[in-house]
Amino acid sequence: AQNVAVAAESEGLGLCYIGGIRNNPAEVSSLLRLPEDVYPVFGMCLGYPDQNPEVKPRLPVESILMEDYYRDDQAEQQVSGFDSTMNEYYRERSGGNKDTNWSEQLKPLFTTKLRPHMQGFLQGKGFGLK
Ligand SMILES: Cc1cc2nc3c(=O)[nH]c(=O)nc-3n(C[C@H](O)[C@H](O)[C@H](O)COP(=O)(O)O)c2cc1C
């Protein structure tokens, strides 16, 4: 999928991954007539953008790329700096309506079970999950 994304963007297309396809995996599987042992992981919308929004900020490269050995002594500082950057970005993009930051956005991914129905669904599809 990432190769598709890179190729599409190189041709001037824009895209959006749709993890939400796993909100109703049974319905999607039936629509797509997916056989046993196949399940929808995500969707991908592709199209020619009619907007040219500013590039979303990224974590500083030194916080994700390390040479020779792992370094996280600056991690807290880097994350808190990036949280400020993202808070500014979200407020600006939303006209002041979205007052959050990177850490807050990611928190539910690590603290809640987002799609608890997936285990039962996958077992029903023939995946031997326990
Ligand atoms: C695995 C994955 C699943 C996503 N699922 C959805 C989705 O269901 N609905 C949606 O509007 N955007 C979805 N997105 C897009 C994100 O909301 C976000 O707009 C996009 O990833 C661009 O931000 P980024 O460049 O920081 O990743 C998804 C992105 C990823 C990587």
Side-chain angles (χ1 to χ4, degrees), residues 66-113:
M66 289 142 211
E67 216 170 295
D68 295 333
Y69 59 92
Y70 194 88
R71 257 164 269 167
D72 65 357
D73 49 315
Q74 305 288 312
E76 271 182 44
Q77 238 173 299
Q78 285 163 341
V79 167
S80 113
F82 189 58
D83 277 342
S84 306
T85 303
M86 285 306 290
N87 178 257
E88 210 171 294
Y89 168 83
Y90 285 135
R91 280 193 285 119
E92 205 173 299
R93 284 295 301 269
S94 67
N97 288 324
K98 190 168 174 174
D99 185 15
T100 183
N101 61 38
W102 185 70
S103 300
E104 288 300 320
Q105 285 286 108
L106 288 186
K107 209 179 275 175
L109 298 179
F110 300 103
T111 56
T112 51
K113 278 200 166 186

Side-chain angles (χ1 to χ4, degrees), residues 16-20 56 58:
C16 186
Y17 281 81
I18 304 293
K56 197 173 178 182
R58 297 292 176 202

Side-chain angles (χ1 to χ4, degrees), residues 9-47:
E9 288 196 339
S10 77
E11 292 293 320
L13 287 147
L15 60 105
C16 186
Y17 281 81
I18 304 293
I21 209 162
R22 278 172 279 119
N23 293 346
N24 297 296
E27 206 175 330
V28 171
S29 299
S30 157
L31 280 169
L32 300 178
R33 300 186 200 167
L34 299 183
E36 283 286 285
D37 300 321
V38 176
Y39 76 100
V41 181
F42 53 83
M44 186 184 271
C45 303
L46 290 164

